[in-house]
Amino acid sequence: MSRQPPPPALSDASLSPGLYLVATPIGNLRDITLRALDVLAGCDVLLAEDTRVSGKLLSAYGIRTRLERHDEHVAERTIPGILERLEAGERIALVSDAGTPMVSDPGYRLAREAIAAGHPVIPIPGASAALAALTLGGLPTDRFMFAGFPPPKSAARRTFLEEFANIRATLIFYEGASRVADCLADMATVFGHRPAAVCRELTKLYETCVRGSLSDLAADPRFEAPKGEIVILVGPGVEKAASAGDVEAALREAVARLPLGEAASEVAKAFGLSRKDLYRQALALKEAAG
């Protein structure tokens, strides 16, 4: 039987002052970078969304850095003091419960305030559920958009999803397990018969990825009461052909501020249409207007 390798030796190089944004594992504790371990061990204090969760990670690697809570409930009263400590030259690290800080979790406000105050902000990259799902889902990866958590109620969720209906990129959503079935049903209604993937428990023992059309996934009984963290991927939208009314409206607006040839060129480029045909249409619009 193979033996577990020992924990890596930590660097003894001192950290520069500043705010370190440290990515931590999303499940498997070995998905931690050597640089992240150096920062966690070498910083003066570690700000954690949940000190109990982060404490387990530190314990696994024998790190005894002091932990302090930092989440959306305490940020307003703690940020001024943190900024003062950065001003004094402290080395402060920020982690979320799992993954990359500030991706659908607290921390953005602290980083923004630190940047505004002129303090160094240093990213320590690593695990991300969104990127792990993207690499696993089997959907196009050349262009993607992270959309976070949809609203919990169906009406608001559909309105939210409609904002992404025509985006020609793979969409990445996070969702709570109890709402996955309803969310998939709304996605099928808004997005139609698109390819999609549902990734669950990434990097953990029961990691799964189910691929299929949104309609099929919405009807899949496995998502009626799933457990664990969920990432939903939806394939890119297809660009819709412009209606004649849309083209005419754009042409009228362009003709009002540009010479006919330039107006025709601008609209032709925007809609992928023939400049020659649009020039004739622009000329006819101008003649009709007298």
Side-chain angles (χ1 to χ4, degrees):
M1 183 173 67
S2 62
R3 301 175 64 183
Q4 289 278 355
L10 299 176
S11 170
D12 58 3
S14 61
L15 294 177
S16 300
L19 176 65
Y20 292 81
L21 310 176
V22 185
T24 55
I26 58 176
N28 192 316
L29 288 185
R30 295 195 66 77
D31 290 336
I32 185 78
T33 70
L34 301 182
R35 188 178 176 212
L37 291 175
D38 289 340
V39 172
L40 296 181
C43 63
D44 297 303
V45 64
L46 178 58
L47 306 178
E49 186 178 359
D50 187 326
T51 57
R52 295 166 299 179
V53 173
S54 298
K56 293 177 182 178
L57 175 64
L58 297 189
S59 178
Y61 286 98
I63 297 173
R64 294 180 174 82
T65 300
R66 185 173 83 257
L67 281 164
E68 292 182 7
R69 177 187 173 196
H70 184 81
D71 59 24
E72 58 188 359
H73 302 294
V74 302
E76 184 172 355
R77 70 172 185 269
T78 59
I79 285 179
I82 295 170
L83 295 178
E84 289 178 3
R85 292 158 70 175
L86 288 170
E87 184 67 30
E90 287 196 28
R91 303 156 303 172
I92 299 176
L94 173 72
V95 297
S96 62
D97 285 349
T100 301
M102 298 187 296
V103 179
S104 270
D105 60 35
Y108 163 72
R109 183 180 172 190
L110 173 59
R112 181 188 62 192
E113 297 289 343
I115 291 169
H119 301 300
V121 175
I122 305 100
I124 309 297
S128 166
L131 294 181
L134 183 67
T135 60
L136 181 62
L139 295 172
T141 59
D142 57 327
R143 183 182 298 176
F144 56 90
M145 179 176 182
F146 177 70
F149 283 92
K153 301 295 184 180
S154 182
R157 184 164 53 227
R158 291 190 184 191
T159 299
F160 169 82
L161 294 173
E162 285 168 358
E163 297 178 17
F164 306 99
N166 296 323
I167 292 177
R168 302 183 69 187
T170 295
L171 304 175
I172 307 174
F173 300 91
Y174 288 168
E175 186 55 285
S178 63
R179 294 194 294 268
V180 168
D182 291 339
C183 186
L184 288 170
D186 285 338
M187 287 180 170
T189 298
V190 173
F191 297 137
H193 198 70
R194 287 198 209 174
V198 178
C199 302
R200 185 180 72 86
E201 292 289 82
L202 290 166
T203 78
K204 300 177 184 177
L205 179 62
Y206 297 107
E207 174 182 280
T208 59
C209 181
V210 182
R211 306 169 184 87
S213 71
L214 278 172
S215 301
D216 291 341
L217 293 174
D220 194 317
R222 285 175 289 184
F223 301 124
E224 291 178 0
K227 295 180 179 180
E229 303 297 326
I230 308 290
V231 183
I232 302 174
L233 306 176
V234 179
V238 177
E239 187 174 24
K240 295 181 179 179
S243 69
D246 292 336
V247 174
E248 181 174 330
L251 197 56
R252 285 183 183 277
E253 189 277 332
V255 166
R257 56 183 172 81
L258 295 170
L260 291 183
E262 294 180 21
S265 296
E266 180 181 286
V267 177
K269 184 177 181 181
F271 290 93
L273 299 174
S274 164
R275 179 190 178 279
K276 185 177 180 180
D277 292 341
L278 287 170
Y279 182 82
R280 292 197 191 101
Q281 187 175 349
L283 186 59
L285 289 172
K286 186 173 183 180
E287 290 175 350

